Structure formats: structure tokens, C-alpha cells
Amino acid sequence: SQYSGLFIFFFFQQRIEIHKLHQGENLILGFSIGGGIDQDPTQNPFSEDKTDKGIYVTRVTEGGPAEVAGLQIGDKIMQVNGWDMTMVTHDQARKRLTKRNEEVVRLLVTRQSLQKAVQQSMMS
Amino acid sequence: MSAAMDTESTYSGYSHYSGHSKKAHRQGRDRHKSPRSKDGSRSEKSVTIQTPPAEPLLGNDASRAEEGQDDNWGETTTAITGTSEHSISQEDIARISKDLEDSVGLDCKRYLGLTVAAVLGLLVFLTPIAFILLPQILWRDDLEPCGTVCEGLFISVAFKLLILLIGTWALFFRQPKADIPRVFVFRALLLVLIFLFVFSYWLFYGVRILDSKDTNYQGIVQYAVSLVDALLFIHYLAIVLLELRQLQPVFTVKVVRSTDGESRYYSLGHLSIQRAALVVLENYYKDFTVYNPALLTASKSRAAKHMAGLKVYNVDGPGNNASGQSRAMIAAAARRRDSSHNELYYEEADHERRVKKRRARLVVAVEEAFTHIKRLQAEEQQKAPGEMMDPREAAQAIFPSMARALQKYLRTTRQQQYHSMESILQHLSFCITNNMTPKAFLERYLNPGPTLQYDRDRWFSKQWTLVSEEAVTSGLQDGIVFVLKCLDFSLVVNVKKIPFIKLSEEFIDPKSHKFVLRLQSETSV
């Protein structure tokens, strides 16, 4: 129906909860990020819009906490624990993800495949 | 008729330059030749101006007007616009015969003008001296003595006159190119100015000084000094008007040769069309490659094939519907699918390959030939007296080994009539004398050079005609087109004004040059 389409519009996003893993002294999440407002957005292979300076997931380690939680390579991270990640520098993003006193990070991500799936379901 | 055309030059009103006049201003220079003489020592360029010279001709020279010369022959020359060189109208015949007799008359005018100029120049030069000397001669006893001041003034007058003399010699005593009415107007103006000026000085002198026998000698000498100063300033004016004004470039002219499209650009200042034509011609001889009719045969044969392709028959009976026929031909030609472009492409590729091959053979042959020659140093010359050769003999010795390759190359590039064996031998001995490498020897033959490089009878372009819709004495304007025709081809000249350039400045602080490194870093978390 039309109204469900409107609701779906806002939910191109997915919430992912990652539990950090203790590895020696460090807490790791098991993925790598790229991007940031101080970086060159044209070199980002995952973004659709090459002026997008957001934070993207560039690698997900196999079997790591991120993969287990459902994070996929190419995801754009919109929020981390409520903090906005669309207009941060690369270093700020890293800091927000690696706070030592947090064991769980809740990410709000969006991905292109998700958009397409929703669009397809809208069509049908 | 062609003989007459060859030798006449209708630069109307121009007197030949000579070096002995002291006049401050020339009346004009030209390369006028009398119909009877055709010496090769002078340049054989004769520019026939066939448009009506406008009023500057009449404002030729104040003294000429005084002489009561008949200037009407200038007005009756008619303009050639739009007639081809093959159609000679009645007007042309009349004009040519008139020009013949005018050219005889021009001789007398020229010499007359010269003498008048000489007289005027002498008068102007001697006037200050006369101003100073006349009081001494006429009423010496009444004059107030004037010591060192006057002597100082004498010295200054002497040196200023000397400077004026040198300046006039430098500026005006020159081998003439052709003169131009527009500049001639300036000269006439300057001439009139000088004449009036000197006349008024004499008038004043006669009335105030001679009549009243003024005793203040210092004042008289200072008067003479002021005259010389003013003459120097007029000389300066002459330089600015006649020389400097044309130097600054204002127009760009594009010159295109009609037969093969070769084009060049030149920068010109404020000139009349005639003078611009002269500049273009002078540059033509050194910039454009020589006109070679043998190179045009290919395109001519193609054109002939196009024309011969279709025949039009009129089946409706007599009646010459010419325009209908040509339209039909054009339409049919457009529809026909012909492969002449293919032919052209392969022919050109083939020709180029052949030329390259022959060129390679030639270069190798010449290089080999040059290795046989060795220059003897001074000490060595005593040791081997028997075998020594002078450059000419050396050239003759090595010429046979390269002759065939050279001739084949020249034939392929269709230059063979431009180089005779004698000229090649001469060039070879010249190169040997001056220690030139084989490549330097060959540069004359590998590519066609400018017209000046070749023998005069190969030029095909010795006599020019200026065809213009505007009066040839008017100045250049943006958009003017005129044509310089010679028998075999023509140069189309298109004049464009140099655009007004708006230049603004921008200051960039050197400290403001700062950079950031744009990376795409990847951090694992």
C-alpha cells in the first residue's frame, strides 16, 4: 500500500549491534573503515555518489564480531551509539568506535543492496 | 602588350630617389623604369596599381602645383575589379597606351621634382646662415658688439645645422622602395609646413630687421637659432609621422596563395593598401615556398575527370537552357557514387612511400660521398702537393656518385627544373668549402624553399597587379580584402584588426600557496 511505502522509505537503514571482542589488551570490532570529511571521497570504491564523505566499511574480518552481527563490506555507517558519523573526520570516527569503556556499539548502517531490496518489494 | 605591361609601373606621381639632394623631405621614391630599359640589375618587381589614385596625387607637392603640371593622367586610370586577366576591355587598352606615354612624362616630372626639392632644401639650410651674415655684410658698423654670447650662439647654430644635416641624410637619403600616396600626403604636408615656416621667418626678418636695420646683433643671432631649433623639431615630426607611426602593429593580414592554399600571417601597422601590398610581396619572396606548377597537375587531372564524367543531351530540341543543364549535371554528380577518393588516398600513400624511399637512398649516397673528402690542414698541405684539389674540383670528383640518386629524388618530388647540374655543383663546392655536413648540403634539395632561393627565371612571379575594391591609397581597415595577381596565380590578402585586449592583474601572495594531502586511509577497528 502507499502508506507502507512511505514507512519503508525511512528504513533503508539497518541497526547492527556489535559486541566487542577482547584480544589481548585491545577491544576489537573486526572491520576496517574508510572515508571521512578530511579524506578524498573520489577514491571510495563503495560509495554511489563520489562526493560522499561518509564512513564506509572497507573490510570485514572473517568470523569477527562485526561479521557475526551482520555488518557487510560496503556499508555506510550513519551513527555509532547515537553519534552522527556522516560529517566526521576519519580520526574522529575511529575514536568513536574504539572507546575503551564501551563493550557494545550500536551502529546505524545503510547499504545499497538494502535499498534495492526495499525498492523491489515496493514494486511487487 | 605584354611587353609594355612588363616594364611599366604606374606609381603615379613618384619621383625617383637620388642621393644628392639636401631637401628635408623627399617627394617620393619609386622603382619606376622607363619603357625602354629593362635592366636586370634592378629588382624586377613592378607593381602595377590599376585603381584610380585619389586626391593625394593632386596634393602631390606644392611646388608641383606651382609648376602647373598636368595631373589629369592620374585621374583617368580606371580600376580593374572583376575583370579576368584574359579579357582586355577597350578601357584597358586605352589605359595601357596612356600609361606608356605617362611613363615618359613621369621621368621629366621626377627630375623636375628632384631639382625643386634640392633648391628648397638648400634654401632652408642656408637661411639661418643668411640671417646671421646679412647684418654683418650690410650694416656692420652700426651693430652693437656682442662678445662671448654671440660666439656661443654661433657654435650652437653650427652644430645644430650639422645635426640637422646628418638627421636628414639618415632619414631621407635612402634607396627607395615604392612610395605611397598616403605617406606622400604626410610628406606634402610637412613640405608645405616647412615652406610656410621659412617663408614667415623671412618675412619677419625682412620687415623687422632688414628694413629697420636693427642694431641688436645678439637678438638677430638668437632669431636665427630659434629657426634652427624649429627646423629640428620639424625633423622630429617628420620621423614620427613617416616612420614611427607605421611601426606599431594594428592589423593582422592573412595571405593565401590561390593555387595551393599556402598561407601566412603578417602583422602590419597603419599603412595604405599599396604599402601593405608591398610588405606582403616582400615577405612573399622569402616566406612562401616557390610556386611549382608541376605539383598541380594531379588535382587538375582529377578535376578534368569530374567534368568529363557526365554528358548532357538536350532532347527537347534547340534551346540553350544553360542553367538547367548545369543544375542537372550537379544533381547527377551528387547522386553518382564515385570512388575517386579511394584513388586519391592510395595514390598519395604510394607517392609518399616512393618519396621516402628515394630520400633514404639519396641521404645514404650523399653521406657516403662526403666521407671521401677530407680537409687538409695547413701543415699537411706541404706534404702532399700532388693530390690537392680546390673545392670545385673536389665537388666534381664526388658528384657522380650522388648524381643519380639526387636526380631521381628531384624527379619524384617534381623539383628537377629548379636545379641545374651547374647549380648543384656550385652548391656542393660551397658546402665543401664551409665544412658543411651532408645534411646541410641536402637541405636545399629535400624540401622546396622560398622563391628567393632559386634562379630568377624560375620564379613565375615577377610582375604583380593589385586588385582592390577600395582605393589603394586608403588605409587598411578591418575586413578589407585585396588580391595580388601575377600571371600564374594570385595572393588573396585578408585584413583583420588585432583585437582589443583587456588585461587585468591578479596578485597572489606567495604565502597563500598551501596544500593538503588527500588520502583514502583505512583503519581497522
Side-chain angles (χ1 to χ4, degrees):
Chain A
S1 71
Q2 293 170 334
Y3 293 100
S4 63
L6 272 176
F7 275 58
I8 287 169
F9 178 77
F10 289 102
F11 288 93
F12 276 6
Q13 302 161 342
Q14 186 179 353
R15 292 189 184 277
I16 294 181
E17 194 174 295
I18 307 181
H19 297 260
K20 291 191 189 178
L21 182 67
H22 286 267
Q23 205 181 60
E25 266 195 16
N26 308 320
L27 284 166
I28 62 162
L29 289 161
F31 66 97
S32 299
I33 53 165
I37 53 175
D38 57 337
Q39 303 286 306
D40 184 7
T42 57
Q43 294 184 34
N44 190 344
F46 303 108
S47 59
E48 220 173 68
D49 175 14
K50 289 304 171 192
T51 59
D52 184 4
K53 294 189 176 181
I55 307 293
Y56 280 78
V57 175
T58 54
R59 251 186 320 127
V60 179
T61 50
E62 268 195 23
E67 195 188 19
V68 163
L71 193 65
Q72 289 179 20
I73 183 173
D75 288 353
K76 178 177 174 181
I77 303 176
M78 313 288 282
Q79 287 179 9
V80 170
N81 286 344
W83 293 100
D84 172 59
M85 296 287 265
T86 55
M87 295 294 275
V88 293
T89 66
H90 189 87
D91 209 41
Q92 283 171 343
R94 181 191 58 81
K95 281 187 188 154
R96 295 232 178 98
L97 284 165
T98 53
K99 285 199 172 17
R100 293 186 76 85
N101 49 1
E102 285 176 355
E103 291 249 352
V104 175
V105 285
R106 291 180 178 82
L107 309 177
L108 183 65
V109 305
T110 178
R111 64 175 76 107
Q112 289 179 14
S113 54
L114 198 61
Q115 288 180 9
K116 288 195 185 116
V118 172
Q119 276 166 358
Q120 273 173 4
S121 68
M122 273 171 68
M123 310 269 193
S124 59
Chain B
M1 197 177 302
S2 62
M5 292 276 285
D6 278 335
T7 55
E8 68 163 340
S9 155
T10 51
Y11 270 131
S12 39
Y14 305 129
S15 53
H16 187 70
Y17 226 70
S18 88
H20 62 265
S21 166
K22 285 200 207 124
K23 192 179 90 62
H25 300 287
R26 283 286 129 236
Q27 286 196 355
R29 331 146 277 233
D30 88 324
R31 270 177 289 100
H32 175 74
K33 298 179 287 193
S34 71
R36 285 167 291 281
S37 72
K38 190 178 180 184
D39 45 322
S41 58
R42 286 205 213 136
S43 159
E44 287 180 69
K45 280 193 296 186
S46 79
V47 184
T48 315
I49 310 302
Q50 287 167 326
T51 54
E55 66 287 354
L57 257 193
L58 299 178
N60 191 332
D61 171 28
S63 49
R64 275 223 194 140
E66 292 164 19
E67 244 75 53
Q69 292 293 323
D70 175 26
D71 286 345
N72 287 337
W73 62 271
E75 287 174 292
T76 53
T77 54
T78 53
I80 291 186
T81 49
T83 56
S84 77
E85 62 195 10
H86 298 297
S87 70
I88 311 283
S89 62
Q90 189 60 31
E91 284 179 359
D92 293 48
I93 296 177
R95 182 181 16 93
I96 288 165
S97 56
K98 208 172 196 348
D99 286 344
L100 255 186
E101 37 188 59
D102 297 330
S103 54
V104 178
L106 262 183
D107 255 351
C108 305
K109 273 191 194 167
R110 195 172 68 204
Y111 290 126
L112 206 59
L114 270 181
T115 46
V116 168
V119 164
L120 192 61
L122 211 57
L123 184 76
V124 165
F125 190 74
L126 291 177
T127 299
I129 303 177
F131 282 1
I132 296 177
L133 288 180
L134 278 176
Q136 296 272 358
I137 297 170
L138 293 178
W139 63 92
R140 171 175 266 241
D141 310 318
D142 299 331
L143 284 177
E144 291 167 11
C146 127
T148 43
V149 179
C150 270
E151 281 158 17
L153 289 175
F154 288 154
I155 293 177
S156 91
V157 165
F159 275 105
K160 280 179 188 163
L161 279 179
L162 180 68
I163 290 172
L164 192 63
L165 200 62
I166 295 176
T168 310
W169 170 82
L171 189 60
F172 298 111
F173 286 33
R174 276 180 305 188
Q175 195 62 32
K177 305 184 295 193
D179 197 5
I180 314 144
R182 191 179 181 91
V183 176
F184 195 84
V185 167
F186 281 143
R187 290 182 170 232
L189 281 175
L190 285 165
L191 207 108
V192 169
L193 183 69
I194 276 204
F195 181 72
L196 286 176
F197 179 73
V198 170
F199 181 71
S200 62
Y201 260 75
W202 269 110
L203 201 63
F204 186 83
Y205 188 77
V207 166
R208 289 294 189 84
I209 297 179
L210 283 181
D211 276 353
S212 62
K213 294 206 188 288
D214 192 4
T215 55
N216 179 8
Y217 192 53
Q218 185 178 336
I220 296 174
V221 177
Q222 273 176 339
Y223 183 71
V225 172
S226 77
L227 170 66
V228 181
D229 286 340
L231 282 178
L232 278 173
F233 286 131
I234 292 184
H235 187 260
Y236 154 77
L237 188 68
I239 295 178
V240 164
L241 276 183
L242 302 179
E243 300 286 315
L244 290 183
R245 190 168 171 265
Q246 286 106 28
L247 287 183
Q248 189 160 48
V250 177
F251 297 102
T252 308
V253 299
K254 176 173 182 179
V255 186
V256 184
R257 184 159 59 186
S258 65
T259 49
D260 57 356
E262 188 170 340
S263 63
R264 291 273 188 288
Y265 285 87
Y266 300 112
S267 282
L268 296 178
H270 282 288
L271 298 174
S272 63
I273 294 184
Q274 291 190 60
R275 201 169 189 186
L278 267 187
V279 173
V280 165
L281 282 179
E282 280 161 16
N283 284 315
Y284 168 81
Y285 282 101
K286 80 164 166 62
D287 283 334
F288 279 71
T289 59
V290 65
Y291 168 72
N292 194 347
L295 291 173
L296 306 168
T297 50
S299 54
K300 279 190 189 151
S301 63
R302 272 201 302 277
K305 262 192 265 179
H306 284 307
M307 295 294 287
L310 295 171
K311 286 195 166 106
V312 177
Y313 295 101
N314 197 347
V315 294
D316 291 331
N320 195 7
N321 188 5
S323 62
Q325 270 185 5
S326 48
R327 271 205 295 271
M329 279 190 76
I330 292 172
R335 271 190 294 254
R336 174 183 67 178
R337 211 182 345 144
D338 78 289
S339 57
S340 54
H341 58 277
N342 242 354
E343 266 180 51
L344 173 65
Y345 170 71
Y346 284 115
E347 201 182 294
E348 277 193 349
D350 202 34
H351 177 76
E352 199 149 315
R353 213 173 32 90
R354 247 184 300 137
V355 166
K356 282 197 175 136
K357 238 189 178 176
R358 294 253 164 106
R359 181 200 165 111
R361 284 205 192 121
L362 172 63
V363 169
V364 162
V366 172
E367 279 175 358
E368 221 185 282
F370 267 64
T371 56
H372 296 314
I373 295 273
K374 182 171 161 309
R375 176 178 272 267
L376 284 181
Q377 300 304 316
E379 330 59 78
E380 294 170 3
Q381 277 178 20
Q382 278 92 41
K383 284 186 214 162
E387 305 146 11
M388 283 195 306
M389 296 185 280
D390 67 358
R392 173 89 190 175
E393 289 163 7
Q396 276 167 341
I398 61 174
F399 179 66
S401 57
M402 66 167 87
R404 194 147 172 270
L406 184 58
Q407 191 174 53
K408 273 191 153 169
Y409 181 80
L410 289 179
R411 252 203 212 126
T412 315
T413 53
R414 303 215 179 92
Q415 291 176 20
Q416 72 268 23
Q417 66 258 40
Y418 287 96
H419 305 283
S420 66
M421 191 171 98
E422 180 56 37
S423 75
I424 299 176
L425 274 173
Q426 249 179 356
H427 187 237
L428 188 54
S429 61
F430 170 78
C431 291
I432 291 175
T433 319
N434 292 308
N435 284 332
M436 294 213 196
T437 58
K439 205 165 180 188
F441 163 71
L442 277 176
E443 72 74 35
R444 178 187 264 227
Y445 302 109
L446 288 179
N447 297 309
T451 317
L452 278 178
Q453 193 177 295
Y454 300 99
D455 215 15
R456 254 170 215 245
D457 33 340
R458 294 270 162 243
W459 276 9
F460 284 104
S461 54
K462 286 186 267 194
Q463 197 237 330
W464 297 88
T465 307
L466 173 59
V467 178
S468 156
E469 289 167 0
E470 318 268 331
V472 294
T473 57
S474 63
L476 288 178
Q477 305 284 337
D478 188 28
I480 281 189
V481 176
F482 59 92
V483 178
L484 286 159
K485 272 211 279 203
C486 77
L487 274 177
D488 300 291
F489 60 94
S490 53
L491 298 173
V492 180
V493 182
N494 202 341
V495 178
K496 284 196 177 49
K497 204 173 161 98
I498 293 179
F500 183 76
I501 297 171
K502 283 203 176 107
L503 197 60
S504 57
E505 68 154 305
E506 183 184 333
F507 174 69
I508 296 182
D509 188 3
K511 294 194 207 127
S512 70
H513 295 301
K514 303 254 180 268
F515 298 93
V516 282
L517 208 51
R518 287 162 78 78
L519 303 169
Q520 182 69 6
S521 22
E522 196 185 1
T523 322
S524 58
V525 295

